[in-house]
Amino acid sequence: MDKLIYIPLAIGIFGGAYLGYWSSKALVLRLSKGSHPSRLVLWCAAIGALLAALPSIVLAFIIGANFGGTLGDAARFSPALRAAAVPSGIAFGITVVLGGGLAIGVVVGALMGRLIAYVMRKLAPTTSGTL
């Protein structure tokens, strides 16, 4: 029975990863189409997600556990409801916090990639043919 805690943790992690991907996909694709090396923006967005992953996971576990405990305390008069409220709260809290943290990391990474692409374009030597 103690091993059942891994189910809401897995649901929260995979749900958070999907939420972060789903919420930032359209913006990253729009940012990458406007820049010259569009792969640069996509790579920087992926790096931003990787850099934001660990702090987001730690924060998601802390907030998810607190949210699950709060829901469990709210359902203290019904043992059956409490048994369902705690894992549901943990999964929901992890999903929301992890998804938001990953989405922020992806968007910040994409904006940094867009800035790098802009600077590369401005500093590139022009071949105008006149001296």
Side-chain angles (χ1 to χ4, degrees):
M1 191 71 174
D2 292 331
K3 304 233 186 236
L4 289 178
I5 193 65
Y6 295 121
I7 294 171
L9 293 177
I11 290 171
I13 289 171
F14 288 118
Y18 180 74
L19 182 65
Y21 169 76
W22 176 77
S23 63
S24 60
K25 179 176 113 172
L27 183 62
V28 169
L29 289 177
R30 177 181 269 177
L31 285 173
S32 69
K33 287 184 182 184
S35 66
H36 174 58
S38 62
R39 291 265 185 208
L40 177 68
V41 175
L42 297 176
W43 277 104
C44 286
I47 291 170
L50 289 175
L51 290 176
L54 183 63
S56 297
I57 288 173
V58 170
L59 191 62
F61 281 179
I62 292 170
I63 293 175
N66 286 330
F67 190 68
T70 303
L71 282 181
D73 286 343
R76 67 178 159 235
F77 297 116
S78 173
L81 185 61
R82 183 178 183 154
V86 172
S88 299
I90 290 172
F92 180 75
I94 290 173
T95 298
V96 170
V97 175
L98 181 62
L102 289 177
I104 289 171
V106 166
V107 170
V108 168
L111 288 173
M112 290 300 294
R114 178 85 184 229
L115 179 68
I116 291 169
Y118 175 76
V119 169
M120 284 174 48
R121 190 172 56 233
K122 284 294 185 181
L123 294 178
T126 59
T127 56
S128 62
T130 60
L131 295 177

